[in-house]
Amino acid sequence: MLIDDLNNAKIGNPFETLGLQKLEGSSYILRAWLPSAQSVEVYSIDGKDFICTLTMVHPDGLFEEKISCEKPFHYMFKVTYADATVDVIDPYQFRDEAFFGLNTMNEDPENIYRTLGAQLIELNVDGVKIKGTKFAVYAPSATAVSVIGDFNFWDGRRLPMAKSLLGHWVLFVPGLGAGLRYKYEIKDPFGNRLPHKADPVGFYHEQYPSFASIISDQHSYTWHDQEWKKSQLNNKLEQPMSIYELHLGSWKRDENGQPLSYRELAKELLDYVKEMGYTHIELMPIMEHPFSGSWGYQPTGLFAPTSRFGSIDDFKFFVDTFHQNGIGVILDWVPAHFPTDAFGLAKFDGTCVYEYEDPRRGWHPDWNSLIYDFGRDTVRRFLIASALVWLDLYHIDGLRVDAVASMLYWDYSRKDGEWIPNVDGGNINYEAVSFLKWFNEEVYKKYPHAFTIAEESTAFTGVSRPTFTGGLGFGFKWNMGWMHDSLEYMQTDPFFRKYHHGEMSFSMIYAFNENFILSISHDEVTHGKHSLLYKMPGDEWQQAANLRAYLTYMYAHPGKKLNFMGSEIGQGSEWNDDAQLDWWLLKYPKHQGIQKLVKDLNKLYRSEPCLWRTDYDPASFKWLDVNDSEHSVFAMQRNNGKDFIVAVSNFTPVPYVAYRLGVPESGTYEVVFNSDDKQYWGSAYGTGETKLVASNISWQNCYHSIVLDLPPLSTLFIKKISD
């Protein structure tokens, strides 16, 4: 029976069979399972003292010998094979070391990535230092688990693991170091072998076709961003935030058409982002994923930066370099669902370890993926650990949680009869709500330099409000409503915009309900939606002018800013994840002008606190004119209690001569930014006189007013320069 279990990799607790086993009195039996071995000699752990030779009791590789001794001892084997003799430190003498730490798994979620996976450790055994790797994987319904890899011919018979009372399978294997590939061979509850599984808590994974996990050293990199982290202990709501969202694989490519590496991006991308004046970058998910065309939103390695662009240390160097240059790094994080790839989490031990079992809850019809079981404590801790690891080991500044709406509602993208109501008969997923609250509490409690962002497209109450007030606890929320309405307005022919005036102003009805980020993301420039430039109506000049006016209006509107890569250069084609941006466009003045406009907007934005310090205070905003639909003109005032800026937009191709605009104070004003400026490929209409003296003529609910010429399809920023 024993030899059958060993040969079929079905042994459930090898520590009860292999290694040094107690007999009666002072007798022990030392048993070794070494397939293909011809002979085995036993030595002291330091290799100096010969102890005995084991007897082969089965030709498949089972050896044993009775030994008389007063207490257990540590040892090593000298194993002879047909072509070599090798020294082997038997892993089955380290039971306590293998199980160490598992009793903490019900405490802090961080213990998951500190305890599970492949952990490099060093033991001091009888004065001998023994380095190796401790493997631990959660598979509660499995009947047997083995670790397989380069080190044992991917043979599931050779290193069977032991099961803990909590459902984890563990084994410490001496001699294994960083760089070796591994997976788990798992037998389901009926003893059937499953497809080899990658490590759910693996820190690094190989690409197609193996998708193997790789033993990694998380402590080899030395960070140099201490000053940056200290500087981030501030109120993010009162800081400027202009975010450059990008997909690393298609931002820029080398001369051979290959994506740039983390270290190459740490130079080229950093130089570009600094030059353009952004405060943060936001990376579409770089958590490991098998299919590049998923853009990272179907991840299989939530603890691992993708190996497409380099090593773990390369990614840390990337983040570190941005921090040392004053740029924050935000990552998209995807806890809503996961793909069905056989090597991943799906039916991990033959049962639904991570997903809801009922497809009415566990299957996502939009993305053909599985939904995490947010009501299961082990899953919740796993997911929160996967979030915290990026803030802890990778020094990430912010996490944008993808597809929050799909988590909050049981009936998301489902028809009647395709979903199960909650206990109150409603459609809110209380389990997901509880999970998201816990996630945000953990982030803000343990990593005060960091922040969270929700991509949530509904009117769910309190997404960016503290959990102690009943909110979900996010720091920010993408303003999907503003994005949708404003782009609908901008895509309308200017002749008809007067009939859609409310689409542009409606956002201010709810602008202070949440801590909004105005987002023009990747979702708006793909799947047939056109690029941002080609959403705009009119001829070539009018398209560019519309885009410049719109982007400038965005910087005037309350809320932090986010734009997807390519929009800042007037990309003409839709985003293609399999090619770089159309950088060649920058040889043309139109695209040079759009790029310079964004650069100058970022510079002006960061230099004017009234544009960001009080983004979430209703007193910081005032419409000066929101009713001039006939001319499609909007005028607003932004202030922070000390300074103010007036912004006025003309969304028609008709210039308005001597347009009167109300201002809050007397004095001399100046146009400090004009999206129609010649340097931006504008018409330069009416730029002869930039100094504007306010008269005492009341206008637009103000006691003072100025008169200026409004250029066509433009947004102006106007600032008081003297009394």
Side-chain angles (χ1 to χ4, degrees), residues 355-428:
E355 64 268 39
Y356 286 109
E357 188 166 0
D358 192 317
R360 291 174 294 175
R361 290 190 169 180
W363 177 253
H364 207 302
D366 281 357
W367 303 308
N368 292 327
S369 55
L370 298 167
I371 300 171
Y372 289 104
D373 185 343
F374 302 114
R376 189 177 299 180
D377 188 63
T378 52
V379 176
R380 292 155 62 90
R381 291 181 183 278
F382 170 81
L383 288 172
I384 290 177
S386 77
L388 298 182
V389 74
W390 297 98
L391 309 178
D392 182 4
L393 301 185
Y394 301 106
H395 289 209
I396 294 302
D397 301 284
L399 295 172
R400 189 212 68 133
V401 182
D402 182 64
V404 170
S406 75
M407 301 168 66
L408 293 176
Y409 300 97
W410 287 122
D411 60 345
Y412 184 90
S413 281
R414 296 179 187 272
K415 300 175 183 177
D416 289 344
E418 296 179 347
W419 59 283
I420 304 173
N422 60 33
V423 294
D424 295 322
N427 66 341
I428 301 298

Side-chain angles (χ1 to χ4, degrees), residues 300-315:
T300 51
L302 287 180
F303 296 78
T306 180
S307 58
R308 288 169 173 82
F309 313 119
S311 68
I312 290 176
D313 283 358
D314 292 338
F315 178 70

Side-chain angles (χ1 to χ4, degrees), residues 447-466:
Y447 299 95
H449 73 280
F451 56 93
T452 61
I453 306 168
E455 185 214 15
E456 204 284 312
S457 55
T458 74
F460 193 91
T461 303
V463 172
S464 59
R465 294 295 178 256

Side-chain angles (χ1 to χ4, degrees), residues 531-542:
S531 67
L532 196 58
L533 175 64
Y534 284 177
K535 291 179 188 291
M536 305 299 162
D539 59 24
E540 181 183 15
W541 185 87
Q542 290 181 358

Side-chain angles (χ1 to χ4, degrees), residues 80-102:
T80 300
Y81 295 96
D83 55 354
T85 298
V86 296
D87 292 340
V88 176
I89 298 178
D90 185 14
Y92 299 103
Q93 61 187 307
F94 299 112
R95 183 189 185 284
D96 292 344
E97 290 81 359
F99 283 98
F100 179 78
L102 292 183

